[in-house]
Amino acid sequence: MGTGSVAVVVPGHITAPSWDLYELSIACAVFGTPQRDLADPWYELRLCGTGEDGSGPAGAGFALRTPHGLDDLVGAGTVIVPSVPDACVEEGEPLPPALITALRRAYDSGARMVSLCNGAFALAEAGLLDGRPATAHWMHTAQLAERYPKVRVDDSVLYVDDGDVLTSAGLTAGLDLCLHLVRRDLGAHIANQLARRMVVPAHRPGGQAQFIDLAVPHADDDRLSPVLDWARAHLDGPLTVQDLARRASMSPRTFYRRLHAATGTTPLQWILNQRLGRAQSLLESTDLPIERISELSGLGTANNLRHHFLKQFGVPPGHYRRAFPPGNQP
């Protein structure tokens, strides 16, 4: 297995109905469905069973059998733990020792380690989150922090990218993290195209709040959408909260509150995220100089672009362009 290989830990038995299937299916959908028109080769997916026999009370769920076992985690470029049994989280039942050993061996062999939802408990048990920032579903973060005090648990974010170890909150946050991995590996253009095919938002930053107040009247949502679409089309010009609020026929305070409720971020941060996304796209799809890209994305000077780009993505624009050069996109 090479750097584009993804090994997913699959439990032997899943209780139905269960959210565990959702996180598992996310990993399979993103990494296991070839998108050769976007990138060829695509990821190589391996489903690795934990060695459980799938036994359980009749009618309690179903067994899963996989062609690979825990030994196949070693050598993978990325290892994903979508979930662990609820009893291990809520009742403190021990995780399978063979799983913990395999996770440590995979990390020692150079794998990028990823957890979705309560899969963070497995990474924490393996000691891979000690001293690191991490998250999980907000319903379980208190238990994670209590059980593993060396982990710097953050219950307010969608996902945490700590380089070679990444964790996410539950359900759709797991999809955000998987798309983030594609973005890291293959670039923003391919990640955006994949998100479009999956009919999901192209990019939600990991620092966005886990729980967003969705009790926003539909009429207000309808007033926000055209304003945000207009803003995306005018990123190269000055954009202020006052201007956007006026277009939405709201006071600045009401606009701030409505946008934060709908997106989990502030208007200024939303605008900055859109501008950085525009800069990413231009870096990948054009050979325009950095100065011109900073102007078209509304970030002003090249120094301002470099500052925000480095803070958001961990690399300067020039390094990003060398990793995803123009002309490589389908």
Side-chain angles (χ1 to χ4, degrees), residues 256-298:
Y256 182 105
R257 186 173 65 251
R258 294 301 185 186
L259 182 65
H260 191 275
T263 68
T265 191
T266 66
L268 291 179
Q269 186 62 49
W270 183 88
I271 292 170
L272 178 59
N273 290 339
Q274 301 304 309
R275 284 176 164 159
L276 288 170
R278 171 69 59 80
Q280 266 191 315
S281 178
L282 291 172
L283 286 167
E284 293 183 19
S285 60
T286 75
D287 57 2
L288 292 172
I290 300 297
E291 290 76 10
R292 182 56 178 154
I293 289 177
S294 65
E295 294 171 359
L296 292 174
S297 59

Side-chain angles (χ1 to χ4, degrees), residues 156-158 176 201 203-216 220-221 224-225 227-229 232 244 254-274:
S156 66
V157 296
L158 293 177
D176 291 321
H203 179 52
R204 290 200 296 171
Q208 184 168 313
Q210 279 199 36
F211 27 87
I212 298 172
D213 179 10
L214 296 180
V216 181
D220 287 330
D221 284 343
L224 274 180
S225 294
V227 173
L228 299 185
D229 289 341
R232 291 188 189 96
L244 298 181
T254 299
F255 180 80
Y256 182 105
R257 186 173 65 251
R258 294 301 185 186
L259 182 65
H260 191 275
T263 68
T265 191
T266 66
L268 291 179
Q269 186 62 49
W270 183 88
I271 292 170
L272 178 59
N273 290 339
Q274 301 304 309

